[in-house]
Amino acid sequence: LVDSKDKCPKEPETKNSYQDEDGCPDVVPEKLKKFSGAIAGINFETGSAKILPSSFKILDAAVAVLVEFKDTKIEVQGHTDDVGKPEDNLKLSQARADSVKEYFVGKGIAAERIATKGFGQDVPVADNKTKAGKAKNRRIEFKLM
């Protein structure tokens, strides 16, 4: 950060993906913390990027937070289990992340505030050998940018 843009030149910036461009120490607000990492409750039709209506409540809550924190940018990350071909899972995870972005944009969030990335089956958080593990691996994550 160049000195002319540093609002707190005597204090170190807190690198936490929240207001990292102002040069000041800060804490990610609890409302934003709730919408970072894996977001439970965002579900899709099997083998599809169509968001299930049961997901709308959590997505609308995320929209409300993005409206409140107007400068916040996020990356929507899609993940799958290991069922199917890796290249198909990569495409599906990207399509699902894109669907979440489309939902947000449809609710008035500026498209440039939302990046998307599909990881397919490459970043599991649980063992794909069990039904429960596969369910944990099929997820959407939000990363503050």
Side-chain angles (χ1 to χ4, degrees):
L1 185 66
V2 294
D3 288 342
S4 64
K5 292 187 178 184
D6 192 344
K7 294 178 183 175
C8 303
K10 297 184 186 211
E11 300 175 78
E13 170 65 61
T14 308
K15 294 291 184 185
N16 56 5
S17 299
Y18 177 71
Q19 297 182 342
D20 287 347
E21 64 285 340
D22 65 0
C24 297
D26 54 55
V27 176
V28 178
E30 286 302 315
K31 287 181 182 179
L32 277 177
K33 276 186 190 177
K34 181 179 177 185
F35 289 104
S36 61
I39 309 300
I42 302 175
N43 299 300
F44 303 85
E45 287 184 2
T46 302
S48 166
K50 183 175 181 185
I51 299 170
L52 292 175
S54 61
S55 306
F56 297 163
K57 183 177 179 180
I58 192 76
L59 289 171
D60 289 342
V63 167
V65 169
L66 290 170
V67 166
E68 182 176 347
F69 295 93
K70 295 181 183 338
D71 294 333
T72 299
K73 294 180 182 181
I74 64 168
E75 180 177 73
V76 178
Q77 301 176 343
H79 300 270
T80 67
D81 59 28
D82 68 350
V83 175
K85 296 179 183 175
E87 58 272 14
D88 292 340
N89 286 335
L90 185 61
K91 288 177 189 173
L92 179 61
S93 66
Q94 182 65 51
R96 287 178 171 178
D98 290 341
S99 288
V100 171
K101 177 179 180 172
E102 288 172 25
Y103 186 91
F104 288 161
V105 170
K107 296 288 183 168
I109 304 301
E112 55 272 5
R113 292 179 58 197
I114 306 163
T116 61
K117 181 154 176 69
F119 289 90
Q121 63 192 41
D122 293 341
V123 189
V125 293
D127 191 340
N128 273 307
K129 293 179 183 170
T130 67
K131 188 175 180 178
K134 288 177 194 265
K136 284 184 179 180
N137 290 331
R138 293 186 302 267
R139 68 196 187 280
I140 290 290
E141 293 189 16
F142 295 162
K143 178 182 175 188
L144 297 176
M145 308 259 304

